[in-house]
Amino acid sequence: MNLTSRDIHDALRTVKDPDLGKDLVTLNMVKDVRIDGASIVVGIELTTPACPMKETIRKDVEQAIHAKAAEIGAATPTVTVEYTARVRANASKNASNPLPNVKHVIAVGAGKGGVGKSSIAVNLAVGLARFGARVGLLDGDIYGPSTPTMLGLTELPGAIRGEMLVPFEVHGIRAITIGKLVDPEKALIWRGPMAHGAFKQLALQTEWGELDYLIVDLPPGTGDVPLTLAQLLPLTGAVVVCTPQRVAQDDARRAVRMFQQLGVAVLGVVENMSYFIADDGKTYDIFGRGGAEIMARTMDLPFLGAVPIHMELRRNSDEGTPLKNWSGNSTLASDLDNICQRVASQISISTIAGGLLQPTLSITD
Ligand code: ADP
C-alpha cells in the first residue's frame, strides 16, 4: 500500500496554519505534492516570506503524513517541505485604489516624538526586505523627516522621471522622503492643506513599482497626515510604537484611538527602548520594561515585540547603515526579526480574515 496524492491532501487538510487558524488545503497553500516511493515532497506557499511558523508547519506536515501512512498501512515516508511565499493582497482592494501595485500599506505611528517610531519603521522595512519581501518606505514625517540620515540618503541625488519621483533603492528597499525635496536645515512648517498636498504627492507621485509592503512613517501624534493617509489609501493597518513608561503609554493609547477612529485596524504595539543593554552586556530596566505590552493587552491589541536601547542601533541610524543591525554580534537582529515576523503575521491574519475593508471615515466632532 502506497500513499497517493489524495492521501497526502487528506493529511494536509488536518494541518492548520497556527497563525491563520485554517488548514493548508483550505488556505490554498499546498502548491505541489511529489511522491517518489517512500520519499514525499510537499510544496507550501506561505502568505509571507517572513512567516514565523515555518518550522511548526514543517513538523505538523510530517506528522500528519506519517499518521496517514500508519492509518493505511504504508511504510513511513521521508517528508520534505519546500517553501515559497506570495504575499496576498487585501480582498478589499478596489478599483479606486490609487496604488494598485502595492499589496499592503502599513502605517507606523506613535503618540509622541522621540520614542523610536522612525527607527522601527526603517528597521521594519529593511527587515521585511531581508526576509525576501518587496518593500517600500514612505517617510511621511513631513515635519521632521529622519530617513535621509537613517538610510544614508544625504549625499545621494534625487531623481524625477516625467511627473514621478524615483524612489531611492537602498538597503534592499525603495524609499522616498520629503527630506530630500526641501532644504533639510529649514524648519518644515506646513499648514493643514499644504501637509495634505505634500504627503499626497509623496505617496502617489512616486514610482513604487510592485510592492508587498509599503511602510509609512507618520509624524508623531494625531495630526493631519494620518487623516490624509487614511482618506488616500486603503490601509491594511497601523503599528503603534511606544516606550514602556506610563506617560508614554497614555500618548500611545491616544494614537491607537486615533487610528480606530479613522477606521484603520491597529495591527499591534511595539515596545521600544524596553530596557538598556550596556557594553558589558548587563541589562538595566530604565523605563519599566513590559509597560507597552501591558498596555497592548489591556487594549486587546497584539503585542509585536520589544527592542531594548541598543547603542549599535543608535549608531547605525546616525550612520545610515541599518543593515548593520543584523550583522553585529547581539540580540538586536533577532529582536528586529521577531518584530518583522509578528507584523507580517498580523498582516496575513487580517488579510485572510478578510475583515479589512477600506476605512470609512466617520468623524463626528
Ligand atoms: P521618533 O521617530 O519617535 O521621533 P527616532 O526613531 O527618530 O524617534 O529615535 C529617536 C532617537 O533615538 C534616534 O537617535 C534613534 O537612533 C534613537 N533610538 C531609537 N530607538 C532606539 C533604541 N532601541 N536603541 C538606541 N537608540 C534608539
Side-chain angles (χ1 to χ4, degrees):
M1 195 72 170
N2 280 329
L3 285 164
T4 63
S5 176
R6 194 193 179 109
D7 293 327
I8 306 294
H9 275 90
D10 285 347
L12 296 176
R13 264 182 225 284
T14 69
V15 178
K16 276 189 180 171
D17 180 302
D19 275 338
L20 305 177
K22 291 186 178 147
D23 75 83
L24 301 181
V25 176
T26 302
L27 288 168
N28 198 20
M29 288 168 70
V30 181
K31 293 296 166 186
D32 190 21
V33 171
R34 299 198 300 277
I35 305 171
D36 183 5
S39 160
I40 292 169
V41 177
V42 179
I44 303 280
E45 186 186 73
L46 300 166
T47 56
T48 171
C51 176
M53 292 298 165
K54 281 184 191 166
E55 191 45 28
T56 308
I57 294 173
R58 192 197 62 71
K59 277 194 195 138
D60 291 352
V61 164
E62 187 179 61
Q63 213 169 41
I65 294 175
H66 285 176
K68 190 72 185 175
E71 183 191 316
I72 67 165
T76 305
T78 59
V79 177
T80 308
V81 176
E82 289 178 353
Y83 286 118
T84 52
R86 182 178 61 88
V87 176
R88 300 182 192 184
N90 258 344
S92 62
K93 294 252 158 176
N94 56 32
S96 65
N97 175 15
L99 294 179
N101 296 327
V102 176
K103 291 181 181 167
H104 296 283
V105 181
I106 309 298
V108 179
K112 62 173 174 187
V115 299
K117 168 188 55 59
S118 297
S119 306
I120 297 298
V122 162
N123 285 290
L124 184 57
V126 171
L128 286 169
R130 283 185 82 259
F131 278 107
R134 296 167 301 176
V135 186
L137 177 67
L138 167 55
D139 181 358
D141 193 346
I142 55 169
Y143 305 99
S146 309
T147 56
T149 301
M150 288 186 178
L151 295 178
L153 307 177
T154 42
E155 302 299 320
L156 299 179
I160 290 178
R161 208 174 351 247
E163 299 266 279
M164 303 292 280
L165 300 165
V166 181
F168 296 91
E169 302 247 1
V170 283
H171 320 294
I173 64 169
R174 295 182 187 149
I176 203 80
T177 169
I178 196 89
K180 287 295 293 179
L181 306 175
V182 296
D183 182 349
E185 298 282 314
K186 276 202 184 133
L188 299 178
I189 302 164
W190 305 96
R191 277 182 291 112
M194 285 165 71
H196 176 86
F199 182 83
K200 189 171 169 188
Q201 213 170 344
L202 282 179
L204 302 188
Q205 277 176 249
T206 296
E207 272 185 5
W208 293 113
E210 303 257 334
L211 293 182
D212 295 317
Y213 306 112
L214 175 60
I215 310 295
V216 184
D217 181 12
L218 289 174
T222 51
D224 293 322
V225 174
L227 178 64
T228 299
L229 175 63
Q231 286 171 327
L232 205 59
L233 298 174
L235 278 161
T236 298
V239 170
V240 173
V241 181
C242 179
T243 50
Q245 65 273 43
R246 186 61 194 265
V247 285
Q249 289 176 38
D250 294 342
D251 287 325
R253 261 194 205 93
R254 268 191 290 278
V256 167
R257 298 281 180 235
M258 170 194 70
F259 285 120
Q260 291 171 338
Q261 201 185 353
L262 293 174
V264 175
V266 177
L267 297 173
V269 176
V270 171
E271 178 168 297
N272 189 33
M273 309 193 191
S274 200
Y275 50 99
F276 169 63
I277 303 182
D279 273 352
D280 60 3
K282 254 183 143 175
T283 65
Y284 298 86
D285 190 356
I286 297 176
F287 294 135
R289 182 176 181 174
E293 183 168 5
I294 293 167
M295 184 211 94
R297 210 172 304 128
T298 55
M299 294 192 86
D300 211 14
L301 295 170
F303 181 61
L304 301 170
V307 188
I309 300 176
H310 232 296
M311 209 124 81
E312 268 176 274
L313 189 141
R314 198 275 309 147
R315 195 165 40 229
N316 295 334
S317 293
D318 277 355
E319 291 175 0
T321 53
L323 281 168
K324 282 196 183 163
N325 290 332
W326 279 268
S327 62
N329 183 17
S330 74
T331 55
L332 181 56
S334 61
D335 287 339
L336 295 174
D337 277 346
N338 181 37
I339 289 169
C340 292
Q341 290 186 305
R342 292 200 202 173
V343 170
S345 273
Q346 288 303 321
I347 294 169
S348 294
I349 291 168
S350 305
T351 306
I352 296 295
L356 292 166
L357 300 169
Q358 178 153 11
T360 45
L361 290 181
S362 54
I363 296 166
T364 46
D365 53 10

